[in-house]
Amino acid sequence: MLEENSVSLKKLNTFGVDSVARTLITLSSDSDFSLLSKKMAKYSRHLIIGAGSNLLFVNDFDGLILKAEINNYEIKEETKDHVLIEAGASDNWHQFVLRTLADGYSGLENLALIPGTVGAAPVQNIGAYGVELEKHFYSLEAYDLNTGTRVTLTKSDCKFGYRDSIFKQEVNRYLILKVTFILNKSFEPVIDYGPLQLTFNNKIEGSYGPIDVAKEVMKIRASKLPDPTTLGNAGSFFKNPVVDKDKLDELKSSFPSLIYYDTEVENRYKLAAGWLIDRLGLRGYRIGDAGVHEMQALVLVNYGRATGQDIYELSLSVQKAVNDTYGINLEPEVRIFR
Ligand code: FAD
Ligand code: NAP
């Protein structure tokens, strides 16, 4: 167990905000966990951190931050069609995806280049280009901070939804240690999203594979998303709102070019939040060093010296503008600590 006090969080959040945490504890072994409940009793609040690519610290964090340091890559079981692979919570997600592909297993190719750790991936059921983590999730091992026991959670225990899971509903309860995925031995491409369709739709099945899809996803992402190592950001700041048919029709009559998609739930339509913000002319809008990204309006960025407060205030002004024009309350996807 590594315990540090007055820790700068600048390198532990991809916004690059210079907040300070009272204590950071890094855990890696069973004996570390047995000491944890005694340590936690001294703090009124705690949070679990991975790579900090979905967090915004508005102020200093006067509490305890827990970080699991567990690496693993293990084939647990193999059948004719599938393989179960376990990875450690602190493994880098993108590197894990690349390794599964290099080993000949497919399923995670659409989720290439998403920043962060394997342990955080189930928390918001990460998703991109028509695939969500839950599709290839098998189970996970976690430390239940409420009971001080190790538990195994199955897919149904995790209650996955759109950018949602039990880990968002019972916040701070489970410290995820290892995650097991079920991957395919044969390739089942998911190329419904526009840019992937353009590249692969005309290709004969069998002429391309999951590594080609991953490479295309990486190319598209690199061309339109800011790289957090050079421009601080936490990806999409807001979730795409979901509305019913009445609201959709009302919006369509005022904004005929509105971008929306059917969902799997009847009478629920997903709106592209980036379009709503963009249409208001906010792309490139700045308050000091906090800005709405010039290429993708759903991403807020730190041009250098923005504080967490600056980015938070920018997010409130975007929310207000969207609400005033469309009557829609944008919900943050990024977890905000105030
Ligand atoms: P953190 O930001 O450190 O934490 C995120 C949440 O997970 C917090 O609630 C934290 O408490 C919890 N958590 C972290 N580790 C653990 C653990 N071991 N046990 C329990 N809880 C834990 N997201 C998508 O879904 N799709 C995308 O396409 C996507 N693209 C992005 C692009 C960019 C440029 C950026 C910066 C972000 C993007 N994101 C995307 C958001 C982000 O990458 C994911 O949410 C990622 O899973 C966060 O991982 P992390 O390790 O950085 O987690
Ligand atoms: P995009 O392709 O410009 O699409 C804009 C929005 O429309 C996306 O949010 C996406 O919803 C939705 N969409 C597009 N095609 C769709 C289809 N065929 N069916 C259903 N919904 C569709 O988006 P982008 O910003 O470049 O991102 C591409 C992908 O990467 C998206 O899946 C996005 O979620 C993901 N991404 C996520 C983050 C994050 O931080 N969460 C950051 C960057 C990119 P969905 O978002 O529901 O997919």
Side-chain angles (χ1 to χ4, degrees), residues 35-63:
L35 298 170
L36 196 55
S37 58
K38 209 166 152 198
K39 294 267 180 205
M40 286 180 64
K42 289 195 272 174
Y43 298 86
S44 57
R45 64 193 299 220
H46 71 271
L47 103 90
I48 302 162
I49 202 165
S53 48
N54 210 18
L55 307 173
L56 175 63
F57 294 103
V58 177
N59 304 303
D60 288 341
F61 188 78
D62 187 22

Side-chain angles (χ1 to χ4, degrees), residues 12-15 46-57 66-69 88-91 93 110-129 131 133 140-143 145 163 167-168 171-179 221 225-228 231-236 299 333-335 337:
L12 283 175
N13 73 99
T14 57
F15 267 122
H46 71 271
L47 103 90
I48 302 162
I49 202 165
S53 48
N54 210 18
L55 307 173
L56 175 63
F57 294 103
L66 300 173
K67 195 170 183 336
E69 198 55 59
S90 56
D91 288 323
W93 172 261
N110 293 37
L111 303 177
L113 215 58
I114 297 182
T117 56
V118 166
V123 174
Q124 77 155 354
N125 184 21
I126 55 169
Y129 300 100
V131 175
L133 169 122
L140 62 76
E141 213 181 292
Y143 188 77
L145 296 167
R163 304 283 190 269
F167 311 105
K168 284 193 160 184
V171 183
N172 293 337
R173 174 169 178 184
Y174 296 104
L175 175 54
I176 297 168
L177 308 173
K178 290 174 181 174
V179 186
R221 293 183 72 102
L225 283 169
D227 174 357
L231 185 60
N233 77 91
S236 306
V299 178
E333 179 178 301
V334 168
R335 192 165 165 207
F337 295 94

Side-chain angles (χ1 to χ4, degrees), residues 34-256:
S34 57
L35 298 170
L36 196 55
S37 58
K38 209 166 152 198
K39 294 267 180 205
M40 286 180 64
K42 289 195 272 174
Y43 298 86
S44 57
R45 64 193 299 220
H46 71 271
L47 103 90
I48 302 162
I49 202 165
S53 48
N54 210 18
L55 307 173
L56 175 63
F57 294 103
V58 177
N59 304 303
D60 288 341
F61 188 78
D62 187 22
L64 173 64
I65 299 190
L66 300 173
K67 195 170 183 336
E69 198 55 59
I70 297 168
N71 300 106
N72 195 35
Y73 183 89
E74 199 180 334
I75 297 188
K76 304 289 283 184
E77 211 178 299
E78 218 168 329
T79 63
K80 188 166 79 55
D81 299 321
H82 297 107
V83 63
L84 297 186
I85 302 186
E86 184 184 82
S90 56
D91 288 323
N92 174 276
W93 172 261
H94 176 60
Q95 295 307 324
F96 169 66
V97 170
L98 294 184
R99 187 161 175 192
T100 62
L101 294 170
D103 285 351
Y105 307 122
S106 62
L108 302 179
E109 53 278 4
N110 293 37
L111 303 177
L113 215 58
I114 297 182
T117 56
V118 166
V123 174
Q124 77 155 354
N125 184 21
I126 55 169
Y129 300 100
V131 175
E132 292 181 17
L133 169 122
E134 67 174 301
K135 186 168 179 205
H136 294 283
F137 176 90
Y138 187 76
S139 67
L140 62 76
E141 213 181 292
Y143 188 77
D144 183 341
L145 296 167
N146 286 3
T147 60
T149 53
R150 266 183 193 254
V151 292
T152 298
L153 302 186
T154 62
K155 187 168 167 174
S156 66
D157 294 331
C158 291
K159 301 184 181 157
F160 290 120
Y162 176 66
R163 304 283 190 269
D164 196 23
S165 72
I166 190 166
F167 311 105
K168 284 193 160 184
Q169 295 146 23
E170 296 191 31
V171 183
N172 293 337
R173 174 169 178 184
Y174 296 104
L175 175 54
I176 297 168
L177 308 173
K178 290 174 181 174
V179 186
T180 301
F181 298 87
I182 180 160
L183 303 181
N184 302 329
K185 287 189 168 177
S186 56
F187 180 38
E188 293 165 16
V190 179
I191 50 164
D192 311 330
Y193 268 45
L196 293 183
Q197 249 185 27
L198 269 179
T199 308
F200 295 108
N201 237 10
N202 294 328
K203 294 202 168 156
I204 305 162
E205 248 187 77
S207 68
Y208 66 97
I211 294 180
D212 300 306
V213 173
K215 280 187 180 159
E216 190 59 26
V217 166
M218 285 154 67
K219 197 169 102 189
I220 304 163
R221 293 183 72 102
S223 72
K224 58 195 286 197
L225 283 169
D227 174 357
T229 60
T230 53
L231 185 60
N233 77 91
S236 306
F237 197 91
F238 301 103
K239 290 187 202 172
N240 287 325
V242 177
V243 298
D244 64 16
K245 179 95 170 63
D246 289 346
K247 182 69 188 177
L248 180 73
D249 289 343
E250 174 201 317
L251 288 168
K252 270 166 57 182
S253 67
S254 309
F255 308 99

